[in-house]
Amino acid sequence: REVQASQRSVAIIAEMIHTASLVHDDVIDDANSRRGKMTVNQIWGERKAVLAGDFILSAASVALARIGNTTIISVLTQVIEDLVRGEFLQLGSKENENERFAHYLEKTFKKTASLIANSCKAVSILGCPDPKVHEIAYQYGKNIGIAFQLIDDVLDFTSCADRLGKPTAADLKLGLATGPVLFACQQFPEMNAMIMRRFSKPGDVERARKYVLQSDGVQQTTYLAQRYCHAATREISKLRPSPEREALIQLTEMVLMRDK
């Protein structure tokens, strides 16, 4: 079917929110490259980068208001709230090993999957009145979003910097314990101390990376991503057969196969 103008607007708004979050993320992380190019903060400085991100968000808000649907406004503003909450979660860490993975998955949902889940829900609301379809769309987006970030965290250890478009082991250098690190920690308990000090001592990043590659952390994280993709496929398969449904199923496979 034809995509409605309002549905296309949701896609544009989602991209704008995403772009603004990347510009702000690069300021927080003091990153100097993104997708193989210099970051906004590297070219124009932190102040202008923060304002640039704010400007993109304000433009997205104007576009959102123009849709004129209060339900859609509520769904998509939830994404912005989740992004901020996710950033705060990333700044913290859990001492309890059992809580760490739940903390990591909650942060992953808020920083990455919420955008995809709520964008999918928004376009389904505009295209269909059935709340069951809205929930299917939301769950599909949530599962594929978490899987996407899990693969991203794997690529931080397995892809080369040129392919990835940013330095490898970037998360470790930022003090972040992602899926591969948390799984590796089960085999190498000495990593616990490094996680708690956010890999801040000289040699921590190199040692942690070595432990991850010696463990099955990468394989376990990839397996977890596969489970989330299978869940996304199960959700979208509840809809009646169509070329669009098949494309969404293929998208789950592309998420798992990507190398950059």
Side-chain angles (χ1 to χ4, degrees), residues 71-239:
T71 306
I72 300 302
I73 291 169
S74 175
V75 168
L76 289 180
T77 49
Q78 183 64 49
V79 173
I80 299 171
E81 181 186 327
D82 284 344
L83 278 167
V84 177
R85 288 182 181 274
E87 203 61 60
F88 274 113
L89 283 171
Q90 187 163 287
L91 292 172
S93 56
K94 294 286 183 184
E95 288 191 37
N96 185 321
E97 291 173 48
N98 297 326
E99 290 178 6
R100 260 187 219 142
F101 217 93
H103 183 267
Y104 164 66
L105 287 177
E106 186 185 358
K107 184 268 297 181
T108 296
F109 169 75
K110 283 185 160 50
K111 280 202 69 183
T112 305
S114 172
L115 174 72
I116 303 173
N118 284 297
S119 301
C120 288
K121 183 178 181 179
V123 291
S124 75
I125 290 168
L126 290 166
C128 171
D130 187 351
K132 288 179 184 173
V133 173
H134 307 162
E135 184 60 19
I136 288 168
Y138 179 87
Q139 291 299 332
Y140 171 82
K142 175 184 172 182
N143 283 293
I144 205 170
I146 292 174
F148 183 92
Q149 187 58 50
L150 289 170
I151 295 298
D152 216 55
D153 294 341
V154 163
L155 292 175
D156 197 42
F157 289 94
T158 60
S159 188
C160 66
D162 288 345
R163 193 89 186 126
L164 206 53
K166 60 183 180 181
T168 52
D171 291 328
L172 286 176
K173 289 166 189 168
L174 292 170
L176 304 178
T178 56
V181 174
L182 296 175
F183 279 121
C185 194
Q186 294 169 2
Q187 287 170 267
F188 297 98
E190 53 268 45
M191 291 179 75
N192 274 309
M194 286 190 273
I195 290 170
M196 286 314 299
R197 62 177 178 257
R198 297 178 76 91
F199 312 103
S200 58
K201 279 192 178 178
D204 274 0
V205 169
E206 292 75 19
R207 251 180 22 168
R209 189 167 191 276
K210 190 177 81 175
Y211 283 140
V212 168
L213 296 176
Q214 284 176 355
S215 74
D216 63 359
V218 164
Q219 293 92 323
Q220 290 263 48
T221 309
T222 304
Y223 174 63
L224 186 59
Q226 288 170 346
R227 282 171 54 192
Y228 277 104
C229 277
H230 291 155
T233 300
R234 271 199 312 275
E235 286 296 330
I236 212 70
S237 295
K238 293 174 184 175
L239 300 181

Side-chain angles (χ1 to χ4, degrees), residues 27-86:
V27 173
I28 292 166
D29 300 342
D30 196 23
N32 54 26
S33 66
R34 165 78 64 179
R35 294 173 187 161
K37 296 179 181 178
M38 284 177 73
T39 54
V40 177
N41 48 297
Q42 275 290 304
I43 299 169
W44 286 297
E46 284 190 6
R47 290 181 181 181
K48 286 185 179 176
V50 170
L51 290 171
D54 290 346
F55 181 76
I56 298 166
L57 271 181
S58 68
S61 300
V62 171
L64 184 53
R66 281 192 185 131
I67 292 175
N69 182 315
T70 53
T71 306
I72 300 302
I73 291 169
S74 175
V75 168
L76 289 180
T77 49
Q78 183 64 49
V79 173
I80 299 171
E81 181 186 327
D82 284 344
L83 278 167
V84 177
R85 288 182 181 274

